[in-house]
Each structure stands twice: as C-alpha cells, then as structure tokens.
Amino acid sequence: MATNAETVHHRAVIGSANNFWLYSSKTGFDLTHPPKPSSPPVSPNVTLQTTTTPITINPAKSALIIIDMQNFFLSGAFGRTRGAGHDASDQLVNHAIPAARKAGIRVVWLNWGLTSQEIDDLPPAVTRAFGFETLNDDEGVLNGNVFEAKGTGKAVGKQGEHTVLEGSKKGRSYKGLGTEIGMVEDPETGKEIDAGKLLMRDAWNSALCAPLDRIYEEGTKISSRPDVWVHKNRMSGMWGAKTECEEFLEKEGIKTLLFTGVNTDQCVAGTHTDSFSKGYDCILLNDGTGTTSPEYAQQGIEYNAKNTCGFSTTCKAFAEDVDAMET
C-alpha cells in the first residue's frame, strides 16, 4: 500500500484499436504505434523532450514535413528581405534535416504546385489571397466577358489596391495564381530569369529556395527512405477527403508528423490542423517555422500546438534527442 511519501504511477491507452497512444506517468506519451498495447516496445525509437512532456516516436512511421520553403515566399527576387522564414531555413539546414536523416525519418517537401485544371477550379477566396486583376468597365466585366479577358487586366493586391511601385521588386502586385510573373533577377547568379506562372508546377518561383533546393536534390538520392516532393493546391496540404500528401503518408504507413515551413499561421497551421483532425500525431518544430505576420500570430500557433493539437519542440532540441536515440 502506497504511503503519502510514495508516488503512485499510472498508465493509459488513448485512442482506438486502430490508432492509439500509450501513456505512462514515468515516461510520457508513446507514439510509436505498436500492433497492440501489449506488444514489445518498438525499436529503434526516439524520445523527444518536448515543451510539455516526453514523447517517444517511431522513425519508420514519422516524417519531417517542410512546407512552402519556395522562391516565391523567400527569395530576394520577390523583395523578400531577411526574416523569420530565413531563420527557419537555417534551423532546418543546421539541425532538423540532418537529424531526420540520421534517425531514418522521411523528409517530405510539401509545396504549392498547381496544374492548369486546378487553376480553373480555384474558388475566389483562394485566388484573391495572391492578388487578382481588374478590368475597366468597358473591357468585359459588365459585358459577361470576364473569363475570356483573363490575363489582360491590371494586377492589384488582395484588397484591390493598385501599387505605386508596380513592376518593381518592392510593391509588385500579381494577377493571381497561375498568371505570368515575368522576369526577375536570380539572387544566386545575378542573372535575369523567367519566374514562370505563379505557384504552378515546375516554375522557378515554385522551386525551393537556396540552399534547400540543393539539400532536397541530395535527399532524393538516399537509398533508404529518400526525400519526396508532394504538391498541394491549397494552404493546407491535407484539406478535403483525400490529398496527394495523405495518400503518400498512408502508403508509407506514416502516422507522426513534425511540422516546419512558412507561413506558420497560414499554410503550416492549415496543414497542421487538418492533420490533427485526421488523426495524425502532430509535433511543431517552433523555430523551424516562420511568418511575416505579427509575432502574436506565431505565438498563437505555438500555444495551440503544444496544448491542444499535439506537442512542440525546437529543431536543435530535436537534433539533440536524435543523437541520444536508442538503436
């Protein structure tokens, strides 16, 4: 019988027979997804000392999700000055990506990559988020010719404002997703380059920003669990009944997701929330994310990530925990 001086430890099985966690007051949460609660411990595993409690994950069933670290969002070619997204890139390069590869955790690059059909099917709210185009009254809008006139109007910002410095790096407006951006200066080479159509597949603006593009190419050559590139067509890569990302995760048996990328409160948060709702284990690497929004936006996502939707840690702490992993 326990005395007042003794600690009574407790355990739990959380979830369903098809998707459960184990909990121990001694060791925290076990997210390794063994076949049964009574199965032997999964090995190898990694125990992460998160901001709230220890968690143990199975590398073979885990993925580092890197969202939208693309030229359009980070490159100086589009007037992107040094900011939180670039800091996040440094953390990925120096800590998170090497740690994931060392542990055998899959690296998934989840990026905007639209097709022509997807452009045609986009709802107005999504289109407007990246700017749109306006026509004068006599150019088709009031005559029912607006769709035929697409691409011939004037680029405006998401609130419909005309920018004073339109066409320059600073203050440039765009005619919406899938429209031609034009020529930009590649910061890496100093040469003019065709940026392609806004966030469409295989366009330069949709490519990964340096040095992440080189790291991705290296990762595709890994013999076991190579890096993969997955396209998305909304802020969330997990929206709707089934997405390309979800299909890949299911095929590979991946259940635990470590989230990084930009912007924290938009594409990262959208994918994170939908993944949470679909039953994935969600871990936010706080400093592996960044946003151009005010600081409170970042803080709100971090707060919910650790207190409601899963767990959070940092890229460096993740790397240190991988170094100490059991093999």
Side-chain angles (χ1 to χ4, degrees), residues 106-183:
R106 203 70 178 263
V107 179
V108 176
W109 304 82
L110 180 59
N111 301 304
W112 280 98
L114 296 161
T115 65
S116 296
Q117 184 62 56
E118 288 170 338
I119 291 292
D120 290 341
D121 294 339
L122 285 176
V126 176
T127 300
R128 175 254 195 177
F130 292 88
F132 56 101
E133 61 179 322
T134 60
L135 297 166
N136 294 333
D137 287 349
D138 59 354
E139 293 178 311
V141 175
L142 299 182
N143 299 322
N145 299 323
V146 61
F147 297 112
E148 290 78 1
K150 188 175 182 179
T152 64
K154 183 177 180 62
V156 296
K158 64 182 70 176
Q159 307 302 339
E161 71 279 11
H162 294 276
T163 55
V164 176
L165 300 175
E166 185 177 349
S168 67
K169 288 182 182 179
K170 183 178 180 180
R172 173 183 286 189
S173 291
Y174 303 95
K175 294 184 179 181
L177 294 167
T179 59
E180 292 285 355
I181 293 176
M183 302 299 290

Side-chain angles (χ1 to χ4, degrees), residues 301-317:
I301 300 304
E302 292 182 8
Y303 179 87
N304 285 325
K306 71 178 181 179
N307 289 305
T308 302
C309 298
F311 310 92
S312 68
T313 184
T314 66
C315 292
K316 185 177 181 181

